[in-house]
């Protein structure tokens, strides 16, 4: 069932239209590996060699021929430290003391650890035999030459840094960070550090919340602060922002009030409105527009609304520009308590996510029911539960889809 009336398109339609938007996702730069943490790969990382390239000891011990262990006593030819270019070839009845990470000597097929032998007068006595191949890393155990180890579009974390260091990847090709300009509009808004004797004014949080969200998603943020409900001021600010930003995100001024100027300004900037009004709660007055290769997202002013719509509409654009496959992760979870949907729209409800025995569960302990201004509902182990237009009352145990908020 779709939303009745002509004002709103469905959430599914809005997401499909967003996916079809063409963005410039071929921009990249090369950065030193030490500066690559948190960036997004712009190419596959492919192994040039096997790892290891030769059989390698995984413990300290003695390299031996497994068939010789039954002799009980073996001669020790000497030491084989890590990094040593070992060229000796083991013969029957011989061993070489070999250390973790060392190349296994030719002729050996097993490493017996130090704890399993006794050393005396140039020989080892086998106290406890081991299986053939014990403590030996075979060629290609970690990866093989030609393997794609890290895919293009991956956000680089500590493991990716370590793997690339092992590949001697000095410089890394990464996607250019899209530039996102953020501004909160409204004469009632006070920016950080500003003071007022007017109790009707409220402290701005939207532009700082969204800036942090976008940076977490891999964007470079241009913080524009706040702007009053003045058409000319907002127009000039937007125009200047579009000179350098790939995406302009505003909060407030997009609804139907007398001072909601943003919705009128965007077409005057020469931008084409992709859509205005989506059947979602919160945030149904959202506007998405495009001017050339640049995008404008006008989001609601309430803190929870602007954050949710930024996740749903700004993060996908950022992900597309970075070449990422998905902007966030959605999982199936089971309700731990009954839930009654409050609207006829697709709804995004702050919830607690719990993992038990590998399965996700949802509850609403400590979550307040009220307006779309309650940003504190997104604190702690929070997620966004998605309920569709046709959902009404959901019993405990019902499976629902949930957007995880720690996967940007």
């Amino acid at each position: 069932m779709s939303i009745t009336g002509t004002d709103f398109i469905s959430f599914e339609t809005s997401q499909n239209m967003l996916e079809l938007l063409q963005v410039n996702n071929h921009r990249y730069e090369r950065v030193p590996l030490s500066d690559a943490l948190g960036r997004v790969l712009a190419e596959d990382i492919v192994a040039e060699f096997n790892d290891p390239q030769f059989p390698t000891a995984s413990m300290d011990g003695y390299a031996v021929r497994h068939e010789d262990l039954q002799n009980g006593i073996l001669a020790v030819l000497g030491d084989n430290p890590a990094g040593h270019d070992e060229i000796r070839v083991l013969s029957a009845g011989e061993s070489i003391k070999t250390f973790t990470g060392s190349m296994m000597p030719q002729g050996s097929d097993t490493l017996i650890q130090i704890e399993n032998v006794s050393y005396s007068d140039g020989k080892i006595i086998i106290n406890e035999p081991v299986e053939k191949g014990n403590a030996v890393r075979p060629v290609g155990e970690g990866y093989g030459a030609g393997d794609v180890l890290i895919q293009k579009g991956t956000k680089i974390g500590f493991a990716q840094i370590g793997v690339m260091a092992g590949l001697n990847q000095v410089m890394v090709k990464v996607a250019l960070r899209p530039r996102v300009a953020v501004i909160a509009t409204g004469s009632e808004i006070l920016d950080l550090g500003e003071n007022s004797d007017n109790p009707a004014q409220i402290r701005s949080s939207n532009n700082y919340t969204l800036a942090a969200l976008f940076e977490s998603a891999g964007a470079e943020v241009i913080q524009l602060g706040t702007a009053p409900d003045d058409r000319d001021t907002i127009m000039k600010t937007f125009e200047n922002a579009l000179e350098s930003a790939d995406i302009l995100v505003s909060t407030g001024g997009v609804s139907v009030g007398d001072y909601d100027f943003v919705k009128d300004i965007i077409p005057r900037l020469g931008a084409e409105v992709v859509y205005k009004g989506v059947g979602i709660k919160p945030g149904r007055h959202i506007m998405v527009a495009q001017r050339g290769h640049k995008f404008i997202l006008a989001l609601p002013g309430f803190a929870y609304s602007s954050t949710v719509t930024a996740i749903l509409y700004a993060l996908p654009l950022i992900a597309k520009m970075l070449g990422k496959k998905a902007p966030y992760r959605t999982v199936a979870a089971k309700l731990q308590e009954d839930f009654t949907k409050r609207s006829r729209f697709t709804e995004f409800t702050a919830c607690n996510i719990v993992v038990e025995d590998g399965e996700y569960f949802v509850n609403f302990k400590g979550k307040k029911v009220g307006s779309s201004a309650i940003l504190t509902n997104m604190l702690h182990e929070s997620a966004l539960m998605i309920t569709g237009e046709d959902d009404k009352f959901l019993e405990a145990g019902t499976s629902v889809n949930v957007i995880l908020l720690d996967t940007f």
Side-chain angles (χ1 to χ4, degrees), residues 230-241:
D230 178 81
R231 185 178 278 104
D232 292 338
T233 299
I234 296 174
M235 182 87 171
K236 184 179 296 184
T237 302
F238 278 25
E239 188 64 68
N240 289 339

Side-chain angles (χ1 to χ4, degrees), residues 54-58 61-69 74-75 77 80 86-99 102-112 131-139:
F54 42 77
T56 304
S58 64
Y62 293 85
V64 300
R65 303 192 323 166
H66 186 263
E67 62 192 76
D68 290 342
L69 293 180
L74 301 175
L77 301 185
N80 174 24
E86 181 60 63
I87 59 174
R88 289 171 289 187
V89 180
L90 276 185
S91 299
E94 296 176 340
S95 69
I96 296 177
K97 191 172 186 180
T98 300
F99 297 85
S102 297
M103 177 192 302
M104 291 290 290
Q106 294 185 55
S108 66
D109 57 18
T110 301
L111 185 125
I112 185 167
E131 295 181 353
K132 186 175 182 178
N134 180 70
V136 177
R137 294 187 64 211
V139 172

Side-chain angles (χ1 to χ4, degrees), residues 287-333:
M287 177 186 285
V288 177
Q290 183 174 9
R291 191 176 82 171
H293 293 295
K294 307 202 173 192
F295 298 89
I296 305 172
L297 271 64
L299 310 182
F302 273 151
Y304 181 74
S305 294
S306 65
T307 305
V308 170
T309 49
I311 291 169
L312 299 178
Y313 294 93
L315 293 196
L317 282 176
I318 293 171
K320 282 167 68 73
M321 291 180 179
L322 288 170
K324 293 170 64 176
K325 291 183 178 179
Y328 46 74
R329 190 155 68 98
T330 303
V331 299

Side-chain angles (χ1 to χ4, degrees), residues 140-372:
E141 179 196 47
Y143 48 78
D147 287 353
V148 177
L149 302 183
I150 313 172
Q151 291 186 335
K152 175 183 177 180
T154 299
K155 186 175 181 180
I156 299 171
F158 66 89
Q160 288 78 19
I161 292 288
V163 169
M164 287 189 285
L167 296 172
N168 193 31
Q169 194 89 28
V170 179
M171 302 294 290
V172 183
K173 184 178 178 180
V174 296
L176 275 179
R177 291 187 178 105
R179 304 190 79 194
V180 183
V182 181
I183 184 170
T185 69
S187 297
E188 77 280 13
I189 301 297
L190 280 176
D191 207 344
L192 291 185
E194 292 183 347
N195 295 311
S196 173
D197 295 330
N198 183 354
Q201 291 191 291
I202 59 175
R203 184 66 61 192
S204 174
S205 64
N206 290 350
N207 48 318
Y208 296 98
T209 304
L210 300 191
L213 175 65
F214 300 151
E215 286 183 5
S216 298
E220 178 184 343
V221 173
I222 304 170
Q223 178 60 262
L224 299 179
T226 63
D229 287 321
D230 178 81
R231 185 178 278 104
D232 292 338
T233 299
I234 296 174
M235 182 87 171
K236 184 179 296 184
T237 302
F238 278 25
E239 188 64 68
N240 289 339
L242 288 171
E243 291 296 320
S244 57
D246 300 298
I247 306 172
L248 169 61
V249 179
S250 68
T251 65
V254 74
S255 189
V256 292
D258 293 342
Y259 296 95
D260 289 329
F261 298 131
V262 171
K263 66 182 186 300
D264 303 319
I265 287 171
I266 289 176
R268 292 173 57 191
L269 291 169
E272 179 183 354
V273 176
V274 180
Y275 47 79
K276 181 188 184 301
V278 180
I280 57 174
K281 180 179 174 62
R284 64 182 180 273
H285 292 293
I286 180 176
M287 177 186 285
V288 177
Q290 183 174 9
R291 191 176 82 171
H293 293 295
K294 307 202 173 192
F295 298 89
I296 305 172
L297 271 64
L299 310 182
F302 273 151
Y304 181 74
S305 294
S306 65
T307 305
V308 170
T309 49
I311 291 169
L312 299 178
Y313 294 93
L315 293 196
L317 282 176
I318 293 171
K320 282 167 68 73
M321 291 180 179
L322 288 170
K324 293 170 64 176
K325 291 183 178 179
Y328 46 74
R329 190 155 68 98
T330 303
V331 299
K334 288 183 180 179
L335 286 171
Q336 290 184 319
E337 57 186 271
D338 294 344
F339 175 80
T340 301
K341 187 164 164 284
R342 300 170 61 201
S343 75
R344 63 190 177 97
F345 303 113
T346 299
E347 203 165 285
F348 298 85
T349 306
C351 61
N352 303 307
I353 194 77
V354 180
V355 182
E356 296 178 359
D357 298 325
E359 189 172 7
Y360 290 95
F361 293 91
V362 162
N363 65 63
F364 307 96
K365 182 178 180 180
K367 301 302 181 188
K368 296 179 180 179
V369 177
S371 72
S372 297

